[in-house]
């Protein structure tokens, strides 16, 4: 199965929108995809340190996961990040996070008139 970065973003935003910090995959995420795809991408999030598994079916976001969400929340930043990744022929998830954070810093520097 291929990693789907748009799906990873969707999962992260859906987890963040939940009222509880503990997310039970089978009960709380309604992403309309097959269960195997969701499980696989949750494991990728854990591999990348963006989420951690706390029980057989329970997960929580890590601080790095929240940071990544903050970096890719804006649709424009997310599109620029994907465009940048495609220009170089693809990127690791870690590199995509770094690129998104760089775009956020760039936007903040322009809006705030400071260098970050």
């Amino acid at each position: 199965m291929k990693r789907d970065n748009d799906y990873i973003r969707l999962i992260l935003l859906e987890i963040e929108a939940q009222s509880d910090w503990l997310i039970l995959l089978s009960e709380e995420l309604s992403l309309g995809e097959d269960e195997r795809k969701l499980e696989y991408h949750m494991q990728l999030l854990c591999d990348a340190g963006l989420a951690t598994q706390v029980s057989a079916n329970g997960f929580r976001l890590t601080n790095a996961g929240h940071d990544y969400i903050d970096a890719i929340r804006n649709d424009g930043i997310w599109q620029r990040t994907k465009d940048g990744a495609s220009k170089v022929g693809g990127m690791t998830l870690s590199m995509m996070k770094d690129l998104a954070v760089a775009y956020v810093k760039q936007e903040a520097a322009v809006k705030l008139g400071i260098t970050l």
Side-chain angles (χ1 to χ4, degrees), residues 56-84:
N57 197 31
F59 294 83
R60 71 166 182 84
L61 290 176
T62 63
N63 190 57
H66 283 284
D67 287 348
Y68 189 45
I69 291 169
D70 286 339
I72 63 173
R73 179 183 321 283
N74 177 285
D75 291 336
I77 296 289
W78 177 240
Q79 190 59 53
R80 289 171 65 192
T81 301
K82 291 190 319 179
D83 291 347

Side-chain angles (χ1 to χ4, degrees), residues 4-11 78 82:
D4 181 338
N5 290 312
D6 285 312
Y7 189 60
I8 285 174
R9 179 180 184 245
L10 183 64
I11 291 170
W78 177 240
K82 291 190 319 179

Side-chain angles (χ1 to χ4, degrees), residues 12 15 42-53 59-62 64-65:
L12 289 169
I15 290 172
M42 280 305 301
Q43 289 303 319
L44 291 176
L45 288 170
C46 290
D47 292 346
L50 302 176
T52 189
Q53 191 165 1
F59 294 83
R60 71 166 182 84
L61 290 176
T62 63

